[in-house]
Amino acid sequence: MSTFTSSTSINRPIHEVYAFLADFNNHQKLMPDNIQEWISTADEAHFSIQNMAKLSLKIESRMPDQEIIIVPAAKPPFDLKLKWSLSFDNDHTDILFTIDADLNMMMKMLASAPLQKLADHETNSLTEILS
């Protein structure tokens, strides 16, 4: 299993950050420009990655003001799990975004950089939107 992480800290109450992340409709705002054909509900999202693959994701579990776990809704090219972990410290919310991907050696060489870039892009976008 390969793990890609990115963290940020936002000067907002944890319940506001959680409320934003708990609704999959908001995740389109976090995605990079190569994400196309976005269709979502509060619990699921379907989209394509330009010149690559189509993905369907769903929120598997929500722990209010703590954690959101996202898993594939349909069979992906490789197994993966996305997790948003939240904690509140004084006047800001600390956020850790983790992508766990089951990559074989060839896929690891091809997908590691884009997956880390995605993790960083999502946390940077979240910071811009909620700051």
Side-chain angles (χ1 to χ4, degrees):
M1 190 68 72
S2 300
T3 301
F4 308 91
T5 62
S6 184
S7 61
T8 189
S9 188
I10 299 176
N11 226 10
R12 294 286 275 268
I14 195 167
H15 67 274
E16 288 181 23
V17 177
Y18 175 82
F20 181 88
L21 291 171
D23 184 347
F24 232 145
N25 291 309
N26 293 326
H27 286 244
Q28 182 177 14
K29 300 171 191 165
L30 304 178
M31 294 292 174
D33 293 337
N34 66 339
I35 300 298
Q36 302 173 329
E37 302 170 12
W38 182 275
I39 299 170
S40 62
T41 66
D43 298 319
E44 286 195 23
H46 309 276
F47 56 91
S48 62
I49 304 168
Q50 188 176 21
N51 300 324
M52 290 177 84
K54 290 187 180 213
L55 286 176
S56 295
L57 300 174
K58 66 180 178 182
I59 295 178
E60 179 182 63
S61 67
R62 293 177 178 93
M63 291 177 59
D65 297 342
Q66 292 179 38
E67 182 180 87
I68 297 158
I69 296 178
I70 301 166
V71 297
K75 183 71 178 141
F78 48 83
D79 289 336
L80 77 154
K81 177 172 83 170
L82 293 75
K83 181 167 72 170
W84 291 94
S85 302
L86 308 175
S87 61
F88 193 72
D89 185 21
N90 292 330
D91 60 349
H92 61 274
T93 300
D94 293 322
I95 300 128
L96 176 65
F97 180 52
T98 305
I99 301 172
D100 287 321
D102 190 11
L103 304 173
N104 64 34
M105 195 57 90
M106 185 65 155
M107 285 298 289
K108 192 170 188 169
M109 290 185 338
L110 294 171
S112 288
L115 286 171
Q116 184 61 56
K117 189 175 177 183
L118 174 64
D120 293 338
H121 188 280
E122 289 207 28
T123 56
N124 290 335
S125 296
L126 182 67
T127 302
E128 287 177 21
I129 291 167
L130 296 182
S131 291

